[in-house]
Structures are given as C-alpha cells and as structure tokens.
Amino acid sequence: MNRALTLATELIRISPTTPEPDLIAKAAAILQRGGLVAFPTETVYGLGADALNPQAVQLIFAAKERPANDPLIVHIADVEQLAQVACNVPSLALELARCFWPGALTLILPKAEAVPPIVTAGGPTVAVRCPNHPVALSLIRAAGAPIAAPSANRFSHTSPTTAQHVLDDLAGRIDLILDGGPTAIGVESTVLDVTGAQPRILRPGGVTAEALAEAIGASALASAPSTSPPSGDEETPTAALLSPGLLDRHYAPHTPLWLFTQACLGDHASLQQAMLTHAKTAQHNGGTVAFLLADEDLDAFANTGFRTLSIGSLQDLDRAAAHLFSTLRSLDTPEATLLLARDFPARGLGLAIRDRLRRAADRVIDVSTNKNQAE
Ligand code: TXA
Ligand code: MG
C-alpha cells in the first residue's frame, strides 16, 4: 500500500486569531521535511506542501487522488514573495494584488523557473494567492517557502470548511490538520487569469466579480466563463486543461444532486412546487429525499416530512456561501438517495454558490421551461 495512505493523521486545535508559535513551528517542520499539513484559510481548508519540493507536492496528488494535469495554487505570505514563484508580472496584476491581498483572489501568472513543473501540471503559468488568515500566513512564514495547497478534500468531492471535513476525507493520508475552526468565506478563491490581453475570471469565488470590476473597470474584465464550459471530463483527464476546477462534476456529494432553477429566479412558489412534486414522486418510488434551500423556502416545506436545511437568506449571500459546503456534507448521509437544491442569484457571492451547485449537480432542472438537462 502507498506509504502516503497509512499515516497517523494528527489533529491539533490552533487559535485562528493568534496562532500558538509552538504549533506553527511543529507544522512548519513537517512541511520542511516534505510532509503534508492541512490548514485553515479564509476560504476553505488547504492541503499544504512545500511548493519547491516536487516529492512533497507529489504526496498532495496521491492523498487527494487528484489527476496530475490539475495544477495547484501556490500560497505566499506577501506581495514581496511573488518574485519567488512568478516572473514578468504585469502591472495590472501587481495592482490587483495590492488591492485584494491578503484575500480570496488567485492570480494566474507566468511561472518562475524555481517552481517545479508538477505544481503547474507542466504548464507555463502558476496560480498564486496570499491568504487572509493568521494561521496560513504564520505557517508560510515559518516554513520559509511558498506553500502549494489545493482544497483539502478528495478530488471532486465537496470542499472542506472545517477540520472535521478534512479528517473525513483525508485521515491516514496526511501528517497534520491544524484546526482553526470553520472558515469565514466558505467558497474558494476567485481564479483570475491575468496572462492575456484582458483579465478573465476562470472560477468565481470569494472576491466578487463586482469588486473586481470596480477595481479595474467593468470593461477591462473579459466576460465571465459559462458555468458549464465544454471542458474535459474528469473521469478521463486529458493532457492540458484550461482550469480543471471548472470540470463539470466537481464539489459533489456522494448522493445524486438535482438543481432547480428558473430563467429568472424569483417566482419562489413555482420553484418550491416543482421541487416538492419531484420529491413526492421520488419518495413514492422508494427514495429518501432531502432539500438544500434558502430561508425564504422554509415555510413552504414545513410539515412536508422531508429533511430540509437552509444555507441562509437570498438577501444575505455571504452568509449562504459560508454554509454551502457544510450543508451539502450534512445532507449527504447514507440514508439519502436524492438531494434537491434550489438555485441562488448570480450576484455577489451568489455567483460562486451557483457555480458550485451546478458542478455538484447531476441534473439541472429549469422549471420555467421544464427543461431537464443532464450535467
Ligand atoms: O480558496 C482557494 O483557492 C483554496 C484555498 C486552499 O486557497 N484552494 C483551492 O485550490 O481551491 P484547488 O486546487 O482546489 O483549486 C485551484 C483551481 C483549480 O481549478 C485549478 O485547476 C486552478 O485553480 N488552477 C491552478 N493553477 C492554474 C493555472 N496555472 N492555470 C489555470 N488554472 C489553474
Ligand atoms: Mg478544490
């Protein structure tokens, strides 16, 4: 059996605001000897390794069962460290880094020689971000190296927003988990490609498209990607992928998930009615259905007997984003045979919620046209 899969994974509580120096030193020593440490960021938990040590980075791919053509994000402690991992940084990228770092913005840049090809899946560009979390920043500084860190989940599974989620996916596969409590933003960073003529969002995330447009001007930003790009299929990875996090089935629970949407979200009663009709049919056929909803739906589902969880109000999409992944994991029990989720509006962090739900979904059902589209 692979040595990387038989480790005694240690979980240590750490202060998220003033991390204990001895715990940071212990974690940094593991990274320096080529081991794997999961740590909190402001978005989701990351699975870290020394980005300049190819053997250590290889362990990330093994632990996550991630295909080698899916490149990693390199985490740095400040803008000054950028020169270690990227070169020919465009002035716009520096401006964006100064504006949004530390924060949930990942920049795609030309890679520096020192970054091993395994980090970038052999490509000429590197994804870089400076996380806004005291534990992550202290750890990067103490390790004395940039840290490669994807989300700390098994490949294509729901991303982790608590240390327990990391343990559930990666116990026995990694050395240490630093438990700094639940993450604040709850969806991953926005991935922005700044290598082309116009910056382009490859993955909507913690920094909203509105905030980016405000910083650089709406017309300076290339149009957002479709939420269902014609990219490769993660079951049969191909040699080069534009941004493999955009693969169709991703962020997924084990239970099949159907997403209910409308051409123009807002007719709550029709959406709720369609979801209930589907649930009753599935139940009639012996299934056990659970719902992922918004606060605004709860009255309509009261006394129906179905399991319902809300991720928050349609009027507070920041809070909804923070609860998305933990709610998906809570609903994903062995008893459930089908999860039905409502769609969220594509503004603010709602764009990232919508993107993740679409990629987690086996089917997207548009109740305004009754279009039923297999994802
Ligand atoms: O918030 C986050 O971004 C978290 C925390 C831990 O920082 N990390 C994260 O990493 O979500 P990961 O590996 O789960 O997602 C990174 C995404 C993937 O979609 C990957 O394909 C894309 O970034 N990516 C990485 N390097 C790239 C590159 N050179 N060009 C295009 N896309 C890249
Ligand atoms: Mg991920």
Side-chain angles (χ1 to χ4, degrees):
M1 194 194 221
N2 187 331
R3 217 182 115 261
L5 308 185
T6 57
L7 300 169
T9 302
E10 201 179 345
L11 189 149
I12 305 180
R13 285 204 58 85
I14 190 163
S15 164
T17 49
T18 46
E20 296 79 355
D22 57 322
L23 301 183
I24 291 292
K26 178 184 165 111
I30 292 172
L31 293 173
Q32 285 167 342
R33 68 161 168 77
L36 300 183
V37 176
F39 58 93
T41 79
E42 79 281 35
T43 57
V44 300
Y45 274 71
L47 177 59
D50 177 349
L52 305 183
N53 176 344
Q55 285 81 29
V57 173
Q58 173 53 42
L59 295 179
I60 292 181
F61 286 91
K64 281 187 59 112
E65 297 176 33
R66 179 173 172 124
N69 63 352
D70 191 352
L72 305 178
I73 296 176
V74 175
H75 295 68
I76 57 176
D78 47 44
V79 180
E80 285 64 51
Q81 211 180 355
L82 196 49
Q84 275 186 42
V85 295
C87 61
N88 303 324
V89 177
S91 55
L92 177 74
L94 270 183
E95 233 174 86
L96 286 166
R98 293 211 176 90
C99 191
F100 291 102
W101 286 358
L105 179 66
T106 294
L107 297 172
I108 306 295
L109 294 163
K111 93 173 188 68
E113 192 86 31
V115 177
I118 187 170
V119 172
T120 63
T125 60
V126 63
V128 191
R129 93 172 180 103
C130 173
N132 187 15
H133 195 293
V135 171
L137 291 173
S138 310
L139 185 60
I140 300 165
R141 289 202 179 98
I147 301 299
S151 51
N153 51 282
R154 295 266 197 110
F155 182 65
S156 86
H157 192 215
T158 312
S159 296
T161 56
T162 67
Q164 185 61 48
H165 296 161
V166 180
L167 197 63
D168 291 345
D169 271 25
L170 298 177
R173 295 165 175 251
I174 66 178
D175 297 286
L176 176 65
I177 303 170
L178 293 175
D179 179 357
T183 60
I185 295 179
V187 289
E188 301 88 339
S189 62
T190 301
V191 178
L192 187 73
D193 185 354
V194 283
T195 60
Q198 268 190 309
R200 180 182 295 275
I201 295 177
L202 300 183
R203 176 179 74 181
V207 166
T208 63
E210 291 91 335
L212 284 173
E214 195 176 321
I216 60 174
S219 58
L221 199 59
S223 58
S226 124
T227 50
S228 191
S231 55
D233 170 350
E234 77 181 32
E235 298 305 321
T236 53
T238 49
L241 299 169
L242 176 63
S243 192
L246 301 181
L247 290 172
D248 268 344
R249 182 134 169 100
H250 221 81
Y251 308 105
H254 301 295
T255 314
L257 183 143
W258 294 7
L259 176 65
F260 284 70
T261 190
Q262 287 167 323
C264 187
L265 272 184
D267 179 359
H268 298 333
S270 305
L271 193 76
Q272 292 156 353
Q273 197 47 55
M275 292 175 83
L276 272 170
T277 303
H278 268 80
K280 283 177 188 154
T281 307
Q283 192 178 45
H284 182 75
N285 294 330
T288 302
V289 181
F291 289 96
L292 183 144
L293 302 170
D295 289 353
E296 287 80 352
D297 301 315
L298 291 175
D299 282 351
F301 288 77
N303 309 318
T304 57
F306 290 110
R307 181 155 188 242
T308 58
L309 287 179
S310 165
I311 63 169
S313 166
L314 297 167
Q315 302 309 320
D316 186 355
L317 296 170
D318 290 8
R319 188 170 162 268
H323 291 105
L324 173 66
F325 289 141
S326 58
T327 304
L328 268 177
R329 282 181 181 251
S330 301
L331 289 169
D332 194 16
T333 61
E335 299 76 53
T337 58
L338 181 63
L339 306 182
L340 302 185
R342 71 119 64 235
D343 203 2
F344 282 75
R347 60 168 192 276
L349 285 192
L351 187 63
I353 298 175
R354 170 175 278 205
D355 172 78
R356 305 306 187 268
L357 283 174
R358 272 181 170 52
R359 294 179 203 294
D362 299 86
R363 279 176 192 283
V364 178
I365 296 166
D366 183 340
V367 306
S368 37
T369 61
N370 252 332
K371 210 173 106 204
N372 178 345
Q373 172 196 346
E375 282 288 283

